[in-house]
Amino acid sequence: MGSRLLFRQARIGGPRNGRSWLSSFHHLSRSLHSLPFATVNAEEISGSRPAEVENFVQGNWTKSKNSNEILDPLNGEPFIKVAEVDETEIQPFVESLSKCPKHGLHNPFKAPERYLLYGDISAKAAHMLAQPKVSDFFTRLIQRVAPKSYQQAFGEVYVTQKFLENFSGDQVRFLARSFGVPGNHLGQQSHGFRWPYGPVAIVTPFNFPLEIPVLQLMGALYMGNKPVVKVDSKVSIVMEQMMRLLHHCGLPVEDVDFINSDGKTMNRLLLEANPRMTLFTGSSRVAEKLATDLKGQIKLEDAGFDWKVLGPDVQEVDYVAWVCDQDAYACSGQKCSAQSILFMHENWSKSSLISKMRNLAERRKLEDLTIGPVLTFTTGQMLDHMSSLLCIPGSKLLFGGEPLENHSIPHIYGALKPTAVYVPIDEILKEENFELVTREIFGPFQIVTEYKDDQLPKILDALERMHAHLTAAVVSNDPLFLQEVIGKTVNGTTYAGLRARTTGAPQNHWFGPAGDPRGAGIGTPEAIKLVWSCHREIIYDFGPLPKHWEVPPPT
């Protein structure tokens, strides 16, 4: 009951599009049965009325022998039963993938009408997600399982809807655009084609339960692959409902399988089914294990210890402080693009930046889910990490560092006030400290440090030594400073300029790491082609033969 009260408070904290969230909820309650795909109501999910999540394989929704009870992240009640497949039940999924040939369900020479089919499916799904009652449905469902503010959850739905709009109509077949090069003689031409892998797998995390799996799933389908999709069971109800929406919009039921399982079972499925390519988004530790198990047939969008460098030109302090707060603490810091470390030029430390960041962080509260449960770190683990950092000479707590109060979040999850710890740059660079300072804490936690003009090389050295190169921000309008930092760093999605940020990637630009040949992108045509297709060269050589041709001597 406590979680439902918090959830209700979170939704009525402010208006959107001229309607209060409360009135929007009443509209949803009246309209739920008009959603032809939905089998749950986010508001009604509770310990006394648990929702159920099924699997989908070979064109059918199925249950399993066992259910995994998911705890409500706001009060600890078991409120979702997920039908989790165990290792004895994976054979239908193995058989389903094995039915897909290596040349895929479609390619430029086979069933090209399916490019048009997926353009139509995308158009219909985009239209549905644009309807307020549908977008509200998914926004609230996201909030129930991955608590974040209404605006943050709605942003995920909005990006997904815009992505589907982008690939409506003819845009899917344009992804398979080929090119031709003249050959050496008459009748010879070489043509490059984008070719599917065939059977593939998608494994995605909890923090974006709609956006990441949908964008990667649709990219896989556009290029002609047949995917099996696994989303973290804590949030898989969101993708289960999206699968039902896609079926309603014309997705062929044989094209996608959807599985719920633990990591061990999914690992077994990947080894037995041997998909030609696996997309993994999640922790670096699991990513490295899968890369070994799957012999490199994998694309990764793994963890990111993401950095922001504030240049020497101080301006618009209020705005920069607000962006820092959003980057570090929106979604309780549970974004792979969250600001993990802030390098501020000494000019910024002389400004009111830190005090403004503190004030902004203190506005966040559990009632509207602008701060909330941390699903992969406990409160104790985050506080222990903070204590270790504060043992470094010169370190100090800038703000936060205390557990949230007056809540019923279960102990298996974390509940921490937005926290920032200052560590001197010279201490960060010491061998004995660097790994500790650059450990990613997937929660509302960041490192702050300061540098002088002549210490920029030390900053660049720190950035070079980091292992994950996902997002970054260089906050400056000084072109020479930007040139220096961008030219000597590698992060795949880097924002540059006064308004630079690390989070909030829309659907209109590439999002993904750089510096790793296994790196996966998301969102754009380039990302889809890189991740979900390979290059195939076909050389046409029709002749004619030269007149009076004779068999030449052996060579």
Side-chain angles (χ1 to χ4, degrees):
M1 184 60 155
S3 74
R4 282 194 281 171
L5 175 60
L6 280 172
F7 182 61
R8 197 172 291 117
Q9 290 172 329
R11 289 187 287 99
I12 65 176
R16 184 177 73 81
N17 293 339
R19 284 192 303 170
S20 74
W21 297 347
L22 183 60
S23 65
S24 180
F25 158 65
H26 289 317
H27 176 76
L28 176 64
S29 297
R30 291 192 301 269
S31 307
L32 180 65
H33 297 294
S34 68
L35 298 182
F37 61 89
T39 60
V40 299
N41 183 325
E43 173 66 16
E44 294 178 355
I45 302 173
S46 66
S48 60
R49 301 185 66 178
E52 295 188 7
V53 179
E54 296 181 331
N55 302 284
F56 192 82
V57 62
Q58 299 189 29
N60 296 293
W61 289 103
T62 64
K63 299 185 182 297
S64 62
K65 293 186 297 187
N66 303 305
S67 291
N68 178 14
E69 291 193 324
I70 306 300
L71 301 186
D72 187 325
L74 293 175
N75 71 2
E77 290 182 351
F79 77 137
I80 299 176
K81 294 180 179 180
V82 179
E84 285 203 350
V85 171
D86 65 26
E87 292 185 51
T88 66
E89 299 174 291
I90 64 172
Q91 200 56 37
F93 294 89
V94 174
E95 293 172 358
S96 184
L97 276 190
S98 70
K99 293 177 183 178
C100 179
K102 295 177 184 177
H103 55 259
L105 299 178
H106 63 265
N107 61 53
F109 289 75
K110 172 189 174 182
E113 64 277 4
R114 283 173 51 88
Y115 293 115
L116 305 183
L117 169 67
Y118 274 100
D120 290 343
I121 294 169
S122 296
K124 293 173 183 175
H127 176 71
M128 288 199 70
L129 281 183
Q131 298 176 25
K133 60 187 177 183
V134 178
S135 65
D136 284 350
F137 169 80
F138 281 106
T139 298
R140 293 189 174 110
L141 195 56
I142 291 168
Q143 282 191 294
R144 290 299 281 120
V145 294
K148 58 182 85 171
S149 71
Y150 190 95
Q151 291 93 331
Q152 288 288 320
F154 174 74
E156 187 176 341
V157 180
Y158 178 81
V159 166
T160 304
Q161 188 264 333
K162 286 298 178 185
F163 170 88
L164 292 166
E165 272 188 4
N166 285 348
F167 293 98
S168 299
D170 287 324
Q171 296 307 310
V172 173
R173 68 166 146 201
F174 289 159
L175 290 170
R177 189 191 303 270
S178 62
F179 64 86
V181 178
N184 293 334
H185 50 256
L186 182 62
Q188 186 186 74
Q189 289 184 338
S190 60
H191 287 259
F193 295 93
R194 299 312 302 177
W195 215 256
Y197 291 102
V200 298
I202 299 169
V203 182
T204 64
F206 75 91
N207 55 332
F208 287 89
L210 183 73
E211 180 181 340
I212 295 177
V214 172
L215 269 59
Q216 295 292 14
L217 168 63
M218 298 309 290
L221 291 168
Y222 294 157
M223 300 312 296
N225 303 287
K226 173 171 180 168
V228 58
V229 181
K230 178 196 172 341
V231 182
D232 188 314
S233 292
K234 291 191 292 291
V235 300
S236 63
I237 190 171
V238 178
M239 192 58 193
E240 188 226 38
Q241 294 296 300
M242 187 64 192
M243 285 282 294
R244 296 178 188 275
L245 182 149
L246 290 171
H247 288 150
H248 178 75
C249 293
L251 173 70
V253 294
E254 302 85 4
D255 282 12
V256 185
D257 296 328
F258 177 75
I259 187 171
N260 298 288
S261 72
D262 61 17
K264 183 180 177 183
T265 298
M266 189 62 189
N267 199 86
R268 177 76 175 271
L269 170 61
L270 293 175
L271 292 176
E272 290 199 16
N274 192 29
R276 303 293 295 171
M277 213 288 290
T278 295
L279 178 282
F280 176 80
T281 304
S283 79
S284 297
R285 178 184 59 81
V286 177
E288 293 301 330
K289 180 186 187 307
L290 284 175
T292 300
D293 291 349
L294 301 179
K295 299 182 175 65
Q297 293 179 203
I298 192 167
K299 287 288 186 181
L300 304 176
E301 196 258 275
D302 57 355
F305 188 82
D306 304 301
W307 51 264
K308 178 181 288 181
V309 174
L310 305 183
D313 48 324
V314 177
Q315 50 190 312
E316 303 293 351
V317 178
D318 284 332
Y319 180 83
V320 172
W322 174 75
V323 175
C324 286
D325 177 74
Q326 286 292 108
D327 282 346
Y329 305 126
C331 299
S332 301
Q334 296 173 101
K335 296 183 179 184
C336 52
S337 56
Q339 177 178 303
S340 301
I341 187 166
L342 177 67
F343 298 94
M344 59 179 181
H345 189 276
E346 62 177 340
N347 293 347
W348 284 94
S349 59
K350 296 172 184 175
S351 75
S352 56
L353 176 71
I354 296 299
S355 64
K356 290 181 183 295
M357 287 170 56
R358 180 188 302 110
N359 293 338
L360 290 166
E362 289 173 351
R363 297 189 309 170
R364 296 182 174 275
K365 52 187 181 296
L366 185 59
E367 286 76 16
D368 61 7
L369 294 180
T370 50
I371 193 70
V374 175
L375 301 190
T376 53
F377 282 85
T378 66
T379 306
Q381 288 172 326
M382 290 186 285
L383 291 175
D384 288 346
H385 181 68
M386 181 187 73
S387 297
S388 298
L389 291 169
L390 292 176
C391 291
I392 298 174
S395 297
K396 59 185 177 182
L397 179 65
L398 295 177
F399 54 82
E402 298 177 346
L404 294 178
E405 300 167 345
N406 303 319
H407 65 80
S408 52
I409 296 170
H411 293 303
I412 61 170
Y413 298 141
L416 187 72
K417 293 179 180 179
T419 298
V421 174
Y422 175 86
V423 183
I425 182 61
D426 287 329
E427 292 294 331
I428 291 175
L429 290 170
K430 289 182 179 178
E431 194 67 35
E432 63 269 26
N433 295 332
F434 191 79
E435 185 174 344
L436 172 67
V437 173
T438 57
R439 180 190 177 198
E440 183 184 17
I441 300 297
F442 214 55
F445 196 100
Q446 67 172 320
I447 305 295
V448 178
T449 193
E450 177 187 341
Y451 71 99
K452 303 179 187 299
D453 283 329
D454 60 358
Q455 291 179 308
L456 181 60
K458 293 184 177 182
I459 304 301
L460 296 174
D461 177 44
L463 304 183
E464 176 71 16
R465 288 167 61 183
M466 292 178 188
H467 299 296
H469 303 292
L470 185 54
T471 71
V474 190
V475 181
S476 174
N477 279 351
D478 180 344
L480 296 181
F481 182 83
L482 292 175
Q483 187 170 278
E484 178 77 4
V485 177
I486 294 173
K488 294 181 178 178
T489 53
V490 70
N491 291 46
T493 301
T494 301
Y495 297 88
L498 177 65
R499 300 185 64 174
R501 62 192 194 273
T502 65
T503 66
Q507 71 293 331
N508 63 294
H509 70 61
W510 162 284
F511 182 87
D516 187 335
R518 304 168 302 178
I522 193 169
T524 62
E526 291 77 17
I528 293 171
K529 287 183 277 189
L530 172 83
V531 175
W532 295 115
S533 69
C534 58
H535 181 90
R536 184 182 188 187
E537 193 85 1
I538 297 176
I539 297 89
Y540 293 103
D541 209 342
F542 297 114
L545 295 179
K547 290 183 180 180
H548 312 300
W549 182 86
E550 296 180 357
V551 177
T555 60

